[in-house]
Amino acid sequence: MDPSSSDGIRRRRFLGAGAATLGAAGALAAGQYLTGDASASVGGPTAPAGPGVNVSGTVFKLGVASGDPLPNAIVLWTRLTPAQQGGSGILAPTVPVTWELAADSAFTSIVGSGTATASAALGHSVHVDVTGLTPATDYWYRFKALGRTSGTGRTRTAPAAGSTPERLRIALASCQNWQHGWFTPYRDMKEQRPDLVLFVGDYIYESSAYSYRVRRHEGGGAPVTLAQYRARHEQYNTDPDLQAMRAAAPFVVVFDDHEVDQDWAGAVAGDPVAWPRDTFLARRSAAFQAFYEHMPIRARQKPSGPDALMYRRLDFGALARLHVLDTRQYRDDQAATAEAAAGTGRVIMGDAQRNWLLTGMAEPGTTWNLVASQVMMAETDFLAGTGKEWSYDAWDGYQQERASLLREFRSLRNPVVLSGDRHRTIVSDLKLDYADPASPVVGAEFVGTSISSNGDEDLQAFAAEWAPKLADNPHWKMIDARRGYLLLDIAPDGIDAQLRAISTVLTRNGTTATAATFRVDDGVPGVRQTGVEAPASTGAQASPETTTATP
């Protein structure tokens, strides 16, 4: 989201622009895409631990990461970098990279190892899909290349199919603007030891250095080319707290708009006049490739030109199924009027993805159906009093498809939506019909606040602005404007969630505390707030009554 307006929502999100255009089409490749991927199976005798070498600041400066855990597999990631940010100058076209996976952090028992190829065609990134692993097990990993050894990462596989773990801990994160603050919420997140970090969009911001508060974006403008998007990802991944968290637990990531262009929709740019379709698709190709090069995702998610298959699902035994949506590639352009937003035929998921989602949610044997959505699903009425004003970039702009989905939720087991984008914590019931106050509740939604986007806000001004609007959003349980993340403990009988709010992101000495708690019970649609706790202990803070607006 763009912080230029009071609610962090650019005018086009309300007014729309351009004719409706369906999602990604055409194959406008921006060059040759070599695989550069590696897969490996763990088995046979263990290999001896190799000698460690000091980490190189110009080889593994972007750290290591893992992602998309399966019961028997995990993706391991790193990317080699030269001294010059964004370039490939001192690296050969292909570089062999050794990987090691161990049962202990000291690497005394290496259970798998191999060699992958880091190629210039994929920015010298490495994606190793290690299979043959044991479910619900911690592993440690590292990489070696050019006489150097990376830092050590820790990861964990998913529970076995059909098993019922006592708990799954997920940290929900989104929206980290380099210029608006430090990524210090990750420091507390690491201490909470989540099993998984779910990042639902805006990993980078494509803006130039227009209004930096803490740090300045690299480069002289917005990224457009592959080299420029690579440079922006490189900059973000050097944040020490983000890098430490990526090395501490597996991530599940998906893009929203700022990884490409603010408010893009399908094949339509945020500013379609400045970026006609073909030119925008070439830019999207570059952005998608850079995203893949920097994320611990499988080869199945590697883009082909401007297209990438990002929606996917992950199972965590019989406890939870995580359905990761893509609400950007297949959507129609944002509506220009409320009448258009409520019109038939407008899609944010598209038919293929919608059918995939409902098929997966209807399969028996899973207690919790978690849906990762980049944008907020529940209604937000921005207009106090009579009438409604919606953000057309969110599900409010695609009301018929949302209504159809929520009708399906009524017969599905425990649907819980996990979203981002708003730079707010908004916890709410999902209602069958938002025009009817008596309409039944069919699910729950947790919208996570931002890691740093919007920086430290004036919380008293925020509360004064939103207090008159709470009566127009009676399905909300809470709205809060502090930075941080949501921590969800998922158990067979319910989900307990915490808002972990940080005192400041303008310096690196902010402290994080639980600001509020929530509960979703098995078999009971909706969510309830169970507590409001003290705000973060340092930095400029208002009282809890002014920092949290509760209907």
Side-chain angles (χ1 to χ4, degrees):
M1 299 179 70
D2 190 330
S4 60
S5 68
S6 61
D7 287 315
I9 299 174
R10 198 171 68 172
R11 183 170 175 80
R12 179 172 180 245
R13 292 177 179 257
F14 292 100
L15 300 182
T21 304
L22 289 175
L28 191 65
Q32 185 178 10
Y33 292 84
L34 304 179
T35 60
D37 301 304
S39 61
S41 178
V42 172
T46 60
V53 183
N54 289 336
V55 175
S56 169
T58 59
V59 177
F60 294 109
K61 74 176 182 181
L62 303 184
V64 299
S66 67
D68 281 15
L70 302 177
N72 65 345
I74 196 76
V75 178
L76 307 181
W77 171 92
T78 193
R79 182 184 167 215
L80 310 183
T81 58
Q84 296 80 21
Q85 188 180 63
S88 59
I90 65 171
L91 297 179
T94 60
V95 179
V97 180
T98 300
W99 60 270
E100 295 176 329
L101 188 76
D104 65 308
S105 59
F107 287 81
T108 59
S109 176
I110 295 181
V111 298
S113 62
T115 300
T117 298
S119 69
L122 283 175
H124 292 98
S125 62
V126 174
H127 299 75
V128 181
D129 196 356
V130 185
T131 61
L133 303 177
T134 304
T137 300
D138 291 342
Y139 291 96
W140 287 260
Y141 62 96
R142 64 188 179 189
F143 298 89
K144 299 178 181 181
L146 302 174
R148 300 288 181 169
T149 300
S150 73
T152 296
R154 171 200 165 271
T155 192
R156 183 172 177 82
T157 49
S163 66
T164 305
E166 294 182 1
R167 186 190 75 170
L168 173 67
R169 172 165 278 195
I170 294 179
L172 175 64
S174 64
C175 301
Q176 51 190 29
N177 192 315
W178 178 271
Q179 301 192 128
H180 291 178
W182 296 93
F183 300 164
T184 41
Y186 286 118
R187 191 177 305 169
D188 176 78
M189 187 187 295
K190 182 182 176 184
E191 294 177 358
Q192 302 302 320
R193 295 184 61 83
D195 299 304
L196 178 76
V197 178
L198 175 60
F199 196 96
V200 291
D202 294 345
Y203 189 91
I204 64 166
Y205 278 70
E206 86 293 5
S207 54
S208 58
Y210 65 95
S211 62
Y212 62 94
R213 306 175 192 177
V214 176
R215 302 179 285 187
R216 184 185 180 95
H217 273 151
E218 53 71 42
V224 172
T225 67
L226 176 57
Q228 290 168 338
Y229 278 110
R230 281 173 175 167
R232 186 60 54 87
H233 276 278
E234 286 179 27
Q235 182 182 49
Y236 275 58
N237 282 332
T238 59
D239 180 274
D241 296 309
L242 171 60
Q243 192 170 120
M245 188 66 245
R246 276 168 55 107
F251 273 57
V252 173
V253 297
V254 67
F255 49 69
D256 188 25
D257 56 340
H258 285 289
E259 289 87 351
V260 182
D261 173 48
Q262 182 176 337
D263 290 351
W264 70 276
V268 181
D271 183 348
V273 175
W275 290 92
R277 174 192 167 95
D278 287 351
T279 308
F280 171 66
L281 288 179
R283 182 183 182 185
R284 197 174 88 179
S285 298
F288 277 10
Q289 179 169 337
F291 183 84
Y292 174 78
E293 290 174 352
H294 292 85
M295 298 298 154
I297 50 181
R298 287 190 162 80
R300 191 165 183 251
Q301 276 65 63
K302 183 167 65 68
S304 174
D307 304 309
L309 181 61
M310 291 303 297
Y311 64 85
R312 59 205 191 275
R313 66 174 59 96
L314 299 164
D315 286 341
F316 298 88
L319 179 61
R321 169 168 283 183
L322 174 61
H323 312 263
V324 182
L325 299 186
D326 175 355
T327 60
R328 283 292 161 190
Q329 279 193 87
Y330 313 108
R331 66 160 67 193
D332 292 319
D333 193 15
Q334 289 92 343
T337 65
E339 291 74 18
T344 59
R346 293 182 48 75
V347 298
I348 192 171
M349 292 188 295
D351 291 342
Q353 184 175 194
R354 179 180 182 275
N355 293 338
W356 164 88
L357 173 63
L358 292 175
T359 298
M361 294 184 74
E363 291 178 0
T366 301
T367 301
W368 297 99
N369 271 301
L370 309 177
V371 180
S373 172
Q374 292 69 65
V375 293
M376 185 172 174
M377 185 174 290
E379 182 181 78
T380 298
D381 183 359
F382 291 88
L383 180 64
T386 304
K388 290 182 181 291
E389 186 175 74
W390 298 312
S391 165
Y392 298 147
D393 189 66
W395 284 79
D396 280 334
Y398 304 84
Q399 297 206 7
Q400 290 298 319
E401 187 174 35
R402 178 180 65 187
S404 175
L405 181 62
L406 293 180
R407 286 193 294 270
E408 298 286 351
F409 275 14
R410 198 172 188 181
S411 62
L412 298 172
R413 185 170 185 185
N414 291 335
V416 177
V417 178
L418 307 175
S419 310
D421 180 62
R422 283 286 165 86
H423 309 169
R424 303 283 185 264
T425 302
I426 306 177
V427 179
S428 62
D429 290 337
L430 293 172
K431 303 271 287 184
L432 190 63
D433 181 1
Y434 288 103
D436 178 7
S439 178
V441 175
V442 298
E445 181 174 29
F446 292 92
V447 178
T449 186
S450 65
I451 291 292
S452 68
S453 301
N454 278 26
D456 294 350
E457 296 193 51
D458 183 333
L459 301 179
Q460 291 183 338
F462 164 80
E465 176 187 356
W466 278 95
K469 304 175 184 178
L470 295 179
D472 299 278
N473 296 280
H475 49 285
W476 289 1
K477 309 301 179 180
M478 176 185 184
I479 179 171
D480 188 279
R482 284 172 285 183
R483 308 284 70 83
Y485 67 98
L486 284 167
L487 188 66
L488 299 98
D489 286 309
I490 301 164
D493 65 341
I495 297 177
D496 290 301
Q498 305 174 47
L499 165 56
R500 300 288 295 172
I502 193 166
S503 58
T504 180
V505 293
L506 301 185
T507 68
R508 293 198 66 204
N509 61 359
T511 59
T512 305
T514 298
T517 56
F518 308 88
R519 171 79 178 183
V520 181
D521 290 309
D522 176 30
V524 182
V527 57
R528 55 191 170 89
Q529 185 168 340
T530 55
V532 176
E533 302 181 24
S537 60
T538 64
Q541 291 292 329
S543 67
E545 289 76 14
T546 58
T547 60
T548 301
T550 304

